[in-house]
Amino acid sequence: DAGVTQSPTHLIKTRGQHVTLRCSPISGHKSVSWYQQVLGQGPQFIFQYYEKEERGRGNFPDRFSARQFPNYSSELNVNALLLGDSALYLCASSLAGGRTEAFFGQGTRLTVV
Amino acid sequence: AQTVTQSQPEMSVQEAETVTLSCTYDTSESDYYLFWYKQPPSRQMILVIRQEAYKQQNATENRFSVNFQKAAKSFSLKISDSQLGDAAMYFCAYRMTNDYKLSFGAGTTVTVRA
């Protein structure tokens, strides 16, 4: 069975641009969470979606948004990119809304120049 | 808010020896989960071991074991018989039982010397 898949694996954007990151959860998993991991730090929670509804949001500006589709895949969107948005973005999926184990993808490395 | 602290940025261990990673956390909750995740250079976060706060018995997974001290809010990871493949960044994480959000520490880089 395929694990959590994220695309793209790497990308480079210019300040002020917009970016969309994608995540496909493990088959049967209905919950997707997004984390931002700045180099040398632990991941920080951004969003959690369950059954296509936002169930939690971390301390991130409104430039960050996400959604979950009927097939439970998810997109993370970041507008008006800043240099400080450069990070590894991790997606995690789980069976339920957070009461079971979270399985992580390999992440998307975003570099803003 | 819950905070997770890992005070050791780096640890080095000789192959086949034992290393212990420290983690402390702050919470007012009585029911929660604690985790240790491993992140190798491939970047994928891999669950190593988990502990439910209501369980007094320390969790063990093969060469990995924890020392969970609930009153002290301490959760250390012991890696026994260290192998070259254990080299990675290790993160301690906390989650309330009925919650979805994982709170991570800053991580400890483990180097294994051959």
Side-chain angles (χ1 to χ4, degrees):
Chain A
D1 285 342
V4 178
T5 57
Q6 292 186 242
S7 63
T9 54
H10 299 84
L11 76 165
I12 299 173
K13 290 286 189 177
T14 303
R15 278 177 298 175
Q17 285 189 315
H18 164 270
V19 69
T20 297
L21 311 181
R22 295 176 175 84
C23 172
S24 292
I26 292 172
S27 178
H29 285 194
K30 298 181 179 180
S31 173
V32 170
S33 296
W34 288 94
Y35 292 82
Q36 181 196 64
Q37 186 179 14
V38 173
L39 190 64
Q41 297 181 19
Q44 297 292 317
F45 172 76
I46 310 176
F47 284 110
Q48 191 244 357
Y49 276 78
Y50 178 63
E51 286 282 15
K52 302 180 287 286
E53 291 187 4
E54 182 183 306
R55 297 300 181 96
R57 182 183 184 119
N59 187 25
F60 280 80
D62 291 342
R63 299 184 295 107
F64 289 76
S65 63
R67 54 180 176 168
Q68 187 176 32
F69 298 98
N71 66 353
Y72 303 109
S73 67
S74 178
E75 284 182 354
L76 175 69
N77 296 282
V78 187
N79 293 322
L81 284 166
L82 303 174
L83 295 179
D85 295 330
S86 296
L88 179 67
Y89 288 85
L90 295 167
C91 173
S93 77
S94 59
L95 276 170
R99 304 180 189 184
T100 58
E101 296 311 328
F103 294 85
F104 285 83
Q106 288 190 300
T108 294
R109 172 73 67 190
L110 171 65
T111 302
V112 183
V113 297
Chain B
Q2 292 77 32
T3 57
V4 179
T5 302
Q6 294 179 250
S7 59
Q8 305 155 313
E10 298 180 1
M11 294 288 283
S12 180
V13 60
Q14 188 72 34
E15 196 175 6
E17 298 295 311
T18 296
V19 63
T20 299
L21 310 184
S22 301
C23 172
T24 59
Y25 58 95
D26 183 28
T27 184
S28 58
E29 301 293 325
S30 59
D31 200 11
Y32 49 86
Y33 291 106
L34 294 165
F35 306 86
W36 280 98
Y37 281 90
K38 171 185 178 181
Q39 188 178 41
S42 66
R43 311 182 318 202
Q44 186 163 15
M45 201 74 77
I46 301 165
L47 179 64
V48 173
I49 198 166
R50 85 173 200 175
Q51 174 81 41
E52 289 97 333
Y54 69 88
K55 291 186 177 179
Q56 293 185 338
Q57 186 173 5
N58 290 322
T60 299
E61 287 287 343
N62 300 315
R63 298 181 295 106
F64 299 88
S65 61
V66 299
N67 184 3
F68 173 48
Q69 301 290 327
K70 191 172 184 178
K73 296 180 182 175
S74 171
F75 183 61
S76 62
L77 174 70
K78 185 170 77 172
I79 307 174
S80 303
D81 186 24
S82 296
Q83 300 175 1
L84 295 177
D86 295 333
M89 191 86 157
Y90 286 80
F91 291 96
C92 179
Y94 164 99
R95 193 190 81 207
M96 286 193 293
T97 299
N98 295 321
D99 199 356
Y100 40 79
K101 169 188 170 183
L102 283 163
S103 297
F104 288 88
T108 297
T109 300
V110 172
T111 303
V112 181
R113 305 186 305 275

